Amino acid sequence: MNNKETHFLQLIRENKGILFKISKIYQDDPEDRDDLLQEMILQLWLAFDGYRGDSKFSTWMYRVALNTAIAFFKKQKRRSDSEQIPYQFERAEELSSSDEKEEQLALFYRAIQELNKVEKALIYLYMEDMPYGEIASNLGISEINVRVRLNRIKTRLKEIVKKFEQ
């Protein structure tokens, strides 16, 4: 293994949580999640020569991984055999009712599945405590637009969670 590969793998290991969270937000099925993880790592490797270091690696990684997840999601939606929605409801119900925090997290992720791809990206970056300016830069929208959309998304998530709890 050469220096470039070693450096790339080290950076991936240090930032792997980003990939796991993005895959969890965009895919419910564990096999689809694994496929998305592999696709994100492949796209990161293919784009690695283009990483100039102008921003933190994690910021660059967010951008590449989110774009990959969105493209993967679009491609999957076009497949006629894709039936993820029933699985997500089964999965949320499989969780142990004894752990309230785990249930709340599952409910939250289930609610996120109701969002569109841009809303998912926004809420994910927000949950990662990324500054609004960085979110705006990553998604190619204004900082004010980030604030407005996040407020709308938070309100929508509350409504979705209430609907699920009924």
Coordinates of all heavy atoms in Angstrom, one line a residue, residues 7-8 44 74 100 109 132-133 149 159 164:
H7 N -2.9 7.2 3.8 CA -3.4 8.5 4.2 C -4.9 8.5 4.1 O -5.7 8.9 5.0 CB -2.7 9.7 3.5 CG -3.1 11.0 4.0 ND1 -3.7 11.9 3.2 CD2 -3.1 11.6 5.2 CE1 -4.0 13.0 3.9 NE2 -3.6 12.8 5.1
F8 N -5.4 8.1 2.9 CA -6.8 8.1 2.6 C -7.6 7.2 3.7 O -8.6 7.6 4.3 CB -7.1 7.5 1.2 CG -8.6 7.4 0.9 CD1 -9.4 8.5 0.6 CD2 -9.2 6.1 0.9 CE1 -10.7 8.3 0.3 CE2 -10.5 5.9 0.6 CZ -11.3 7.0 0.3
L44 N -15.4 8.8 -2.7 CA -14.4 9.6 -2.0 C -13.0 9.3 -2.5 O -12.2 10.2 -2.7 CB -14.4 9.3 -0.4 CG -15.6 10.0 0.3 CD1 -15.9 9.3 1.6 CD2 -15.4 11.5 0.4
K74 N -31.6 8.7 -5.5 CA -32.4 8.9 -6.7 C -32.4 7.6 -7.6 O -33.4 7.2 -8.1 CB -31.8 10.1 -7.5 CG -32.1 11.4 -7.0 CD -31.4 12.4 -7.9 CE -31.7 13.8 -7.5 NZ -30.9 14.8 -8.3
E100 N -36.1 3.7 26.3 CA -36.9 4.8 25.8 C -36.1 5.7 24.9 O -36.5 6.2 23.9 CB -37.4 5.6 27.0 CG -38.4 6.7 26.5 CD -39.0 7.4 27.7 OE1 -39.4 6.8 28.7 OE2 -39.2 8.7 27.6
Y109 N -35.4 9.0 13.5 CA -34.8 8.5 12.2 C -36.0 8.2 11.3 O -35.9 8.4 10.1 CB -33.9 7.4 12.4 CG -32.5 7.8 12.7 CD1 -31.9 7.5 13.9 CD2 -31.7 8.5 11.7 CE1 -30.6 8.0 14.2 CE2 -30.4 8.9 12.0 CZ -29.9 8.6 13.2 OH -28.6 9.1 13.5
Y132 N -24.0 27.4 10.2 CA -24.9 27.7 9.1 C -24.1 28.1 7.9 O -24.5 27.7 6.8 CB -25.9 28.8 9.5 CG -26.9 28.4 10.5 CD1 -27.7 29.3 11.2 CD2 -27.2 27.0 10.7 CE1 -28.6 28.9 12.1 CE2 -28.2 26.6 11.6 CZ -28.9 27.6 12.3 OH -29.9 27.2 13.2
G133 N -23.1 28.9 8.0 CA -22.3 29.3 6.8 C -21.7 28.1 6.1 O -21.7 28.1 4.9
R149 N -35.1 27.2 6.1 CA -35.4 25.8 5.9 C -35.3 25.0 7.1 O -36.2 24.1 7.3 CB -34.5 25.3 4.8 CG -34.9 25.8 3.4 CD -34.0 25.1 2.4 NE -34.3 25.5 1.0 CZ -34.0 24.8 0.0 NH1 -33.3 23.7 0.1 NH2 -34.3 25.2 -1.2
E159 N -44.4 17.6 13.6 CA -45.7 17.2 13.2 C -45.6 15.7 12.8 O -46.5 14.9 13.1 CB -46.1 18.0 12.0 CG -46.4 19.4 12.3 CD -46.6 20.3 11.1 OE1 -46.4 19.8 9.9 OE2 -46.9 21.5 11.2
F164 N -46.8 9.9 14.1 CA -46.4 8.5 14.4 C -46.8 8.1 15.8 O -47.0 6.9 16.0 CB -44.8 8.4 14.3 CG -44.3 8.4 12.9 CD1 -43.0 8.8 12.7 CD2 -45.1 8.1 11.8 CE1 -42.5 8.7 11.4 CE2 -44.6 8.1 10.5 CZ -43.3 8.4 10.3

